Amino acid sequence: MPVIRPPHKHETAALHALWERSVRATHRFLAEADILLYRPMVRDLLASSMEFWVACDDAGAVPLGFSGLDYVSREGTWKLEALFIDPDASRQGLGSLLVTHARMLKGPLSLDVNEQNPGARAFYRKRGFTETGRSPVDGAGRPFPLIHMRG
């Protein structure tokens, strides 16, 4: 059974590398230049005060995925800001486990998903999230539309 735990301080580089492997496997709409642009943003995000959870192997040693949660005071809700699974561990229930864990901790969640990532949209719909809106650009102002969801 996978273990969910807070990240260890020494795991930041490993989680950053996991993010990149996951993005390369699932965000095929991004060019290499886009990934390079987002790389330092994600590094900064991992060092932020956001609440992170890591899904690990049965021994709790090897990170296989992670989620990031942040409270959005203007909305009065918790937002799932990040959910990334190592491609070698995908489709094994870790994403669902992290979403369930986040909901148990925080209740209903909001999130944004790239419009060009239909697999992720379907994943969230299957877990009860509904679309509540759309933005023409992502959080960095780049031309990657976001679908806003809540569930």
Side-chain angles (χ1 to χ4, degrees):
M1 176 63 97
V3 173
I4 296 181
R5 60 163 173 76
H8 301 305
K9 291 200 182 293
H10 70 274
E11 290 178 320
T12 302
L15 296 179
H16 194 244
L18 188 154
W19 164 82
E20 188 165 334
R21 288 191 305 277
S22 177
V23 165
R24 288 183 183 282
T26 60
H27 292 60
R28 301 191 191 284
F29 56 92
L30 293 177
E32 182 67 18
D34 298 316
I35 293 172
L36 295 175
L37 176 84
Y38 290 119
R39 209 185 264 167
M41 292 179 201
V42 172
R43 184 186 59 241
D44 293 347
L45 183 72
L46 288 167
S48 75
S49 61
M50 188 178 297
E51 184 176 326
F52 286 97
W53 293 94
V54 178
C56 298
D57 63 349
D58 297 353
V62 179
L64 302 172
F66 70 90
S67 64
L69 300 165
D70 203 15
Y71 187 72
V72 182
S73 59
R74 72 181 179 281
E75 297 174 14
T77 186
W78 282 88
K79 187 172 185 179
L80 182 63
E81 290 282 2
L83 181 65
F84 295 97
I85 305 299
D86 190 298
D88 292 337
S90 68
R91 307 191 74 74
Q92 296 177 20
L94 294 174
S96 296
L97 193 63
L98 284 164
V99 168
T100 299
H101 183 259
R103 283 175 158 162
M104 285 181 2
L105 291 174
K106 309 299 183 188
L109 304 168
S110 63
L111 61 87
D112 295 328
V113 64
N114 290 103
E115 187 173 74
Q116 300 101 318
N117 191 345
R121 288 173 70 186
F123 169 85
Y124 290 119
R125 271 196 230 95
K126 188 174 180 181
R127 279 137 197 93
F129 287 85
T130 57
E131 296 182 9
T132 60
R134 180 184 184 276
S135 296
V137 295
D138 68 9
R142 307 276 296 150
F144 301 111
L146 296 176
I147 301 299
H148 310 298
M149 302 183 89
R150 183 150 176 80

